[in-house]
Amino acid sequence: MTPPPAHRRSPAIGAGAVLMGAFLFGFNGSMAKVVMQAGITPEQLTFFRVLGTAVIAGGVLLATDRSQFRLPRRELAWFAALGIGGLAIVQWLYSVAISLLPVGVALLFEYTAVVLIALFAWAVFKERVHPRLWGAIVAVLVGLAIVAQVWNSPLSGLGVAAALGAAVAYAFYFLGGERSVAGRPAMAVAFWTGAFATAFWILLSRWWAIPAGSLGDPVSFGGSLDHIVAPMWLPLVLIVVLGGFAPFTLIFISLRHISATASGILASSEVLFAFAVAWLWLGETLSVGQLVGAAVVLAGIVVAQTARDRSEEAPAPEGFGAGVPPEAP
């Protein structure tokens, strides 16, 4: 693959991209709940999100850089693993989690992925980590125990399991994406991961089981927006564009301008956005004790992400994007 021209990094663009992506992800949780309560299953919602990501990103590449449609077999295998094991699974498990848990709580469990990222980087990639990582892990576990109120078990066990599974998938997606954008533009990574995720869900989602004409049925936005009624297709399109393609692409773009550590710290603001939107929109609240636990979890997430001691950006996977330096766009 011919290296693309040199690209000048802009920390401001990187920070802005990841914060906008975090906000859109946080907003998407409440919107997704509305759609699922109206009858769309988590599997069908996941299919539409990944399909939309592939179609939109593919359209952009068709107009700007068709060379990104020609990939060696090894890269295709890599993107298949990242698209299915990361993108497809993380969105599905997250959808299952928020159908059973408050949006903000589901995200707290999912963002334990940051701890997994640091542990994986230390154990597999042999990256140095600061000793504070272990304190961060303790803080995250204690904070989650408080949020989940394990002594009272008020949360859905299946919901918690789905959210923790999403954390594992998200850790893989983040680490894989971090290395993928070292060799390919963010739009190409979004297209190929979205395409393979779509292929995975095209049959498993049973999208054809959605009743004919139901996408035109009126749906209330619920909560404080209960007075707003729109056809089902409208919130579904918003989820596909603003809750799928846009935030995932923005996160990839951020990794072209700032380090994965900085991007991960800023991305964790998604939890705060999700709590705020779910509270204002759906009326989902936490007790004072749970809010304290959430603060402990967020603090642990930030500390865990800063525990990665990296002198340079992660290399692309072996045989992937060979010869393309991390600075390339």
Side-chain angles (χ1 to χ4, degrees), residues 114-137 175 179 261 302-311:
V114 173
V115 175
L116 298 178
I117 288 169
L119 285 173
F120 192 85
W122 168 69
V124 177
F125 298 139
K126 308 304 179 184
E127 294 177 7
R128 292 179 299 173
V129 296
H130 292 284
R132 60 175 174 265
L133 171 64
W134 316 115
I137 292 174
L175 284 166
R179 283 154 175 77
T261 296
V302 171
V303 172
Q305 191 67 322
T306 61
R308 295 179 69 187
D309 183 12
R310 305 175 61 190
S311 58

Side-chain angles (χ1 to χ4, degrees), residues 124-248:
V124 177
F125 298 139
K126 308 304 179 184
E127 294 177 7
R128 292 179 299 173
V129 296
H130 292 284
R132 60 175 174 265
L133 171 64
W134 316 115
I137 292 174
V138 172
V140 168
L141 293 177
V142 170
L144 286 175
I146 296 173
V147 172
Q149 295 183 346
V150 293
W151 56 88
N152 195 27
S153 298
L155 298 180
S156 163
L158 179 60
V160 171
L164 290 175
V168 175
Y170 186 72
F172 172 58
Y173 185 76
F174 191 92
L175 284 166
E178 178 182 28
R179 283 154 175 77
S180 295
V181 295
R184 292 285 174 183
M187 199 63 64
V189 177
F191 167 72
W192 284 108
T193 54
F196 281 109
T198 299
F200 179 79
W201 281 113
I202 196 167
L203 294 178
L204 295 177
S205 65
R206 292 182 55 82
W207 57 270
W208 60 86
I210 299 175
S214 64
L215 294 180
D217 292 345
V219 173
S220 168
F221 277 42
S224 62
L225 301 180
D226 189 57
H227 59 286
I228 298 179
V229 177
M232 170 78 81
W233 63 263
L234 179 57
L236 193 57
V237 167
L238 291 176
I239 290 171
V240 168
V241 178
L242 300 181
F245 166 75
F248 273 108

Side-chain angles (χ1 to χ4, degrees), residues 36 39 51 66 74 106 146 173 262 291 296 303 307 314 318:
M36 287 188 289
L51 173 63
R66 298 186 182 185
R74 182 171 294 185
I146 296 173
Y173 185 76
L291 287 173
V296 173
V303 172
E318 184 180 351

